Amino acid sequence: METVYFNGELMPKSEVRISPDDRGFLFADGVYEVTPAYQGRLLGLEAHLDRFARGLGALRIEGDTTAALAGVCERLLEANGLDDEDGAYVYLQATRGVAPRGHAFPVPSVTPTVYGFARRIAWWSAERWERGARAVVVPDVRWARADIKSIALLPNVLAQQAAVDAGVDDAILVRDGIAREGSHANLFAVLQGALVTHPCNHEILAGITRAFVLDIARDLGIPAVERPISLQDLDAAEEVFLTGTTTEVRPIVEIDGRPVGSGRPGPLTHALYLGYRQLAQSALPPTLVGG
Ligand SMILES: Cc1ncc(COP(=O)(O)O)c(C=O)c1O
């Protein structure tokens, strides 16, 4: 039986009742957050909850939704027997709440609906990792605030489905000749030995894993620059990889049927992957690193 969090309580998932007037259902009026946990230790929890609070602030969803959620994450892991698991995640979502349908915010304001669950992550085996991921390029048709972790994910859903339809693993979102990120992960390229990744602005989600990887690169003495990656850059890249909570550091070895570099995961991707795994398994309190 799966135990979930719903509006202040842990309960069996089967007992959750969500109103058809919930603005998450009617308007996708809400944000979500996904935090990884290794052996019960939530990695980068503070940074994840900060981003959640920033998203709620940007949408002007009120209520003290984030303060109590750190404890909720731990309780969800424990209640679902995931506190020993090497690779789990906690999903949290808040919507503006329940009100008769109307575009503007309800007056008086309503209490946000908050939902959370914890799951195991299906990590890629070492052998699967070595084979790497294949990707297709698709147009980035998202709204202009990709920095908000909105639950309105239809463009991401369609992008990932385009990848599935093409028989590959992921999609790279491109607009105006710039490869911004994956359908649910940030994008890095290696050009002349240096890491390149899109700067954090409204065009991408500021990934927590992205920030960890930039920290690890600095520690390893790998040069890194935050600037847009053009399609020409992508063609010329020695290595390309994705980063994300459930993606970790994942090499892309083929884009639109053409090999990236040697067509095998490259050395910098490998070093950063190992660095990330080490961080994930280290005993450092999560608040001391990343974000
Ligand atoms: C569009 C997008 N970019 C990047 C990321 C990676 O973010 P994080 O590393 O915080 O999981 C995600 C994660 O879901 C995402 O959906």
Side-chain angles (χ1 to χ4, degrees):
M1 181 197 63
E2 188 177 350
T3 300
V4 302
Y5 175 82
F6 185 61
N7 289 346
E9 285 175 59
L10 291 193
M11 60 176 75
K13 188 177 175 183
S14 57
E15 285 176 19
V16 173
R17 295 285 174 270
I18 296 177
S19 166
D21 283 338
D22 195 285
R23 291 179 61 98
F25 180 60
L26 294 172
F27 294 112
D29 186 355
V31 291
Y32 75 108
E33 192 50 63
V34 184
T35 307
Y38 295 81
Q39 277 107 29
R41 194 177 63 89
L42 289 144
L43 181 64
L45 179 61
E46 198 171 298
H48 282 278
L49 290 180
D50 275 358
R51 184 172 66 187
F52 194 48
R54 278 200 308 278
L56 290 168
L59 301 190
R60 292 162 57 198
I61 293 179
E62 287 163 12
D64 188 16
T65 4
T66 54
L69 290 178
V72 168
C73 291
E74 278 169 19
R75 284 164 60 208
L76 275 173
L77 290 169
E78 207 179 295
N80 289 286
L82 295 169
D83 40 357
D84 281 336
E85 195 68 36
D86 186 25
Y89 68 90
V90 179
Y91 176 98
L92 296 170
Q93 163 172 333
T95 74
R96 195 176 307 280
V98 177
R101 189 177 186 279
H103 285 65
F105 300 167
V107 179
S109 65
V110 289
T111 310
T113 303
V114 186
Y115 176 61
F117 63 82
R119 295 258 166 87
R120 209 163 265 114
I121 300 181
W123 302 113
W124 276 17
S125 66
E127 191 220 11
R128 181 68 193 89
W129 195 94
E130 284 300 336
R131 274 189 279 134
R134 296 182 299 145
V136 283
V137 161
V138 300
D140 184 358
V141 296
R142 294 176 300 170
W143 71 326
R145 291 299 306 274
D147 56 317
I148 298 174
K149 206 165 163 63
S150 157
I151 58 171
L153 285 172
L154 193 51
N156 310 61
V157 166
L158 294 176
Q160 185 59 32
Q161 187 57 39
V164 170
D165 292 345
V168 300
D169 305 287
D170 214 320
I172 296 174
L173 309 180
V174 174
R175 194 184 292 190
D176 300 330
I178 300 299
R180 289 177 168 176
E181 57 185 330
S183 69
H184 55 284
N186 290 114
L187 181 72
F188 283 74
V190 176
L191 285 150
Q192 296 180 328
L195 290 184
V196 182
T197 193
H198 198 288
C200 283
N201 57 17
H202 62 278
E203 293 166 335
I204 67 159
L205 186 77
I208 311 300
T209 321
R210 172 190 179 282
F212 278 133
V213 164
L214 286 171
D215 281 354
I216 296 164
R218 199 191 47 235
D219 289 351
L220 294 176
I222 301 170
V225 39
E226 294 178 60
R227 67 152 173 88
I229 300 170
S230 69
L231 282 176
Q232 289 81 354
D233 288 334
L234 213 52
D235 262 351
E238 295 124 46
E239 302 178 33
V240 174
F241 62 90
L242 294 169
T243 64
T245 292
T246 55
T247 305
E248 295 193 314
V249 176
R250 183 169 293 178
I252 295 186
V253 296
E254 185 189 294
I255 300 173
D256 282 346
R258 288 194 301 276
V260 174
S262 66
R264 313 245 351 236
L268 296 194
T269 310
H270 195 243
L272 292 163
Y273 171 69
L274 291 183
Y276 184 73
R277 289 299 301 189
Q278 209 171 15
L279 172 71
Q281 285 157 8
S282 75
L284 275 182
T287 51
L288 289 186
V289 279

